[in-house]
Amino acid sequence: MNEVWARALRAGGYLLVAFASGLAVLVALPLTLAVVLTVPIGGLGFVLLPPWLGAVGRFAAWHQGRASDLLRVPVPELPDPGPPGFRALWREPSTRRVLLWMPVFTAVSMLAGLLGVAALSLPVTSVQFPFWWALPEGMEFQFLGIPADGWGSALLLMAAQLALGFVLLRWAVVPAAKAHARLNLRLLAPTGAELLAARVDELSRTRAEVVDAHGAELRRIERDLHDGTQARLVSIAMQLGVAREALAEDPRLAALLKNAHEGAEEAMTELREVIRGIYPPILADRGLAGALSALVARTTVTTRLDVGDLGTLLVAAETAAYFVVTEAVTNAVRHGAAEEILVRLDRVGGVLRVSVRDDGTGGVDESRGTGVTGIRRRVAALDGTVRVESPAGGPTVVEVELPCGS
């Protein structure tokens, strides 16, 4: 029983705050309209509207939290978009929700709040009836239009008002508060499309972070192999070579040392290939532009390189761009019989654009293992896009877009 009344009192307090807030929003409505109307008047609204809507939004979010606590249900949250500009703020779905919420909240809060005020005030004000005799002549306490003009009527009206207050508090306040809270949550809750878009953005961001962290880890592994394991293999190979020459008179030992020496050199060759596949050392030494310049210099056909201002790139994006260009250039030389290749890289906002164009025979068939499938997989890991145009007779154009924002 105590729990029932505690819940009723809590709901009554919720409605009291809602009533006061409804009065506050009633005052804020014309002020909001006035701020909106200042937009075409000297552009003042461009300055006033964002902070005003921000304050109203925080007030609405506070009531959303109160409704969530009352109903004991979680509130789906969207990531904070940060301080947007005027146009972005005006286009935000949350802005439209808050503007719609204001008049509805005012009307509903006034009605439901009056019920809460009545339920809580009736038991308190009922104690006035025993003092009916203290009022001057011509004044009297009343309940439902019935005056208290004697002890009998005073006690009867006191009991009736007290009973009505308890009835409202016991059976009407809690449903009214819950209905108010549900409406509040419904008006302010983001749509399923917004939640899905936010989830997709979060997954894209976390995947980019994971891929970039993976790229940084591969770079560390490459450095460890290059500076540690490879250096030790070189030292072992050199020592075996010296020992092989010193023991050349013993055919059996010489043969064993020869095999060990050749095995060490083969291991170094394989290790270099592994290192290049993990993270090309030239990228760490010279950056993407320098690495591609070296690639162009090694290419046996005429290759031109045009690199714009790329800024600071994520390790994963830098590595993917290098391998895309390497694979596309290799395909053009080996399979496309190209005589001229043009490589272009530029950055637009948070997108790195890579284009490789050759004048070869074209007719790229991805099902025959031309390397384009590998390009697509590497780019897809970063949520990038690949477009390949290769009509029979050429030219072949490979265009890639990679997200590279930090």
Side-chain angles (χ1 to χ4, degrees):
M1 184 60 70
N2 290 335
E3 183 180 349
V4 172
W5 287 109
R7 189 162 55 244
L9 289 174
R10 184 185 178 200
Y14 173 88
L15 291 180
L16 281 181
V17 175
F19 180 74
S21 298
L23 292 176
V25 176
L26 182 63
V27 175
L29 276 171
L31 292 178
T32 303
L33 180 60
V35 172
V36 172
L37 291 178
T38 60
V39 173
I41 303 176
L44 186 60
F46 290 102
V47 179
L48 296 178
L49 195 57
W52 176 258
L53 288 180
V56 175
R58 288 190 293 273
F59 186 69
W62 179 65
H63 278 284
Q64 189 180 26
R66 293 184 68 247
S68 172
D69 291 340
L70 182 72
L71 297 176
R72 301 183 186 277
V73 296
V75 176
E77 295 184 2
L78 295 175
D80 185 8
F86 176 82
R87 290 185 178 179
L89 178 65
W90 192 250
R91 293 174 181 173
E92 272 289 317
S94 59
T95 301
R96 294 192 291 270
R97 284 198 298 270
V98 169
L99 292 177
L100 174 63
W101 169 83
M102 292 178 71
V104 178
F105 175 81
T106 298
V108 175
S109 296
M110 298 289 286
L111 293 175
L114 285 174
L115 177 62
V117 170
L120 292 175
S121 63
L122 285 176
V124 175
T125 58
S126 64
V127 299
Q128 66 186 344
F129 286 104
F131 301 96
W132 60 272
W133 48 268
L135 291 179
E137 188 175 351
M139 296 182 63
E140 54 192 13
F141 295 119
Q142 293 187 4
F143 176 61
L144 299 179
I146 303 173
D149 52 7
W151 282 105
S153 59
L155 294 177
L156 183 61
L157 292 176
M158 177 182 176
Q161 182 170 320
L162 194 62
L164 180 59
F166 283 133
V167 168
L168 292 178
L169 193 62
R170 173 63 177 82
W171 284 286
V173 167
V174 173
K178 288 184 175 181
H180 182 280
R182 281 193 290 268
L183 179 62
N184 216 12
L185 292 180
R186 182 174 299 178
L187 289 173
L188 295 174
T191 63
E194 289 178 75
L195 292 173
L196 179 60
R199 181 60 175 163
V200 170
D201 289 342
E202 181 184 2
L203 291 176
S204 299
R205 177 181 55 79
T206 53
R207 182 173 69 170
E209 292 174 353
V210 169
V211 171
D212 190 49
H214 180 256
E217 183 65 15
L218 289 181
R219 185 171 179 174
R220 184 194 63 78
I221 293 173
E222 177 272 326
R223 287 177 177 174
D224 291 344
L225 291 176
H226 184 272
D227 299 337
T229 306
Q230 181 174 277
R232 290 181 181 179
L233 281 175
V234 171
S235 176
I236 292 171
M238 292 177 62
Q239 293 175 19
L240 288 173
V242 172
R244 179 182 173 187
E245 293 178 0
L247 299 175
E249 297 178 357
D250 189 333
R252 188 173 62 86
L253 289 177
L256 291 174
L257 289 173
K258 177 184 177 182
N259 292 335
H261 187 203
E262 291 175 352
E265 290 182 341
E266 289 175 0
M268 283 191 297
T269 301
E270 293 176 359
L271 181 61
R272 290 191 186 99
E273 294 299 323
V274 171
I275 291 174
R276 292 192 188 98
I278 292 175
Y279 185 85
I282 194 171
L283 272 179
D285 298 336
R286 301 176 58 179
L288 181 57
L292 293 180
S293 297
L295 173 66
V296 168
R298 295 194 307 266
T299 306
T300 57
V301 302
T302 302
T303 304
R304 292 183 291 128
L305 176 64
D306 181 11
V307 180
D309 183 11
L310 303 182
T312 302
L313 298 175
L314 298 174
V315 174
E318 187 179 63
T319 307
Y322 177 80
F323 280 116
V324 166
V325 174
T326 301
E327 188 65 39
V329 170
T330 301
N331 287 343
V333 174
R334 291 183 180 176
H335 307 293
E339 296 181 358
E340 185 175 3
I341 304 172
L342 174 61
V343 179
R344 288 179 176 170
L345 287 88
D346 66 330
R347 179 174 180 170
V348 180
V351 176
L352 174 63
R353 294 179 177 175
V354 181
S355 172
V356 180
R357 180 187 181 94
D358 69 75
D359 61 353
T361 57
V364 171
D365 185 359
E366 298 185 32
S367 64
R368 298 175 60 186
T370 55
V372 178
T373 302
I375 291 176
R376 291 191 184 278
R377 288 175 179 172
R378 188 178 291 273
V379 172
L382 298 179
D383 201 22
T385 59
V386 179
R387 187 174 67 87
V388 179
E389 290 185 1
S390 184
T396 296
V397 180
V398 178
E399 294 181 340
V400 171
E401 291 188 352
L402 294 166
C404 60
S406 56

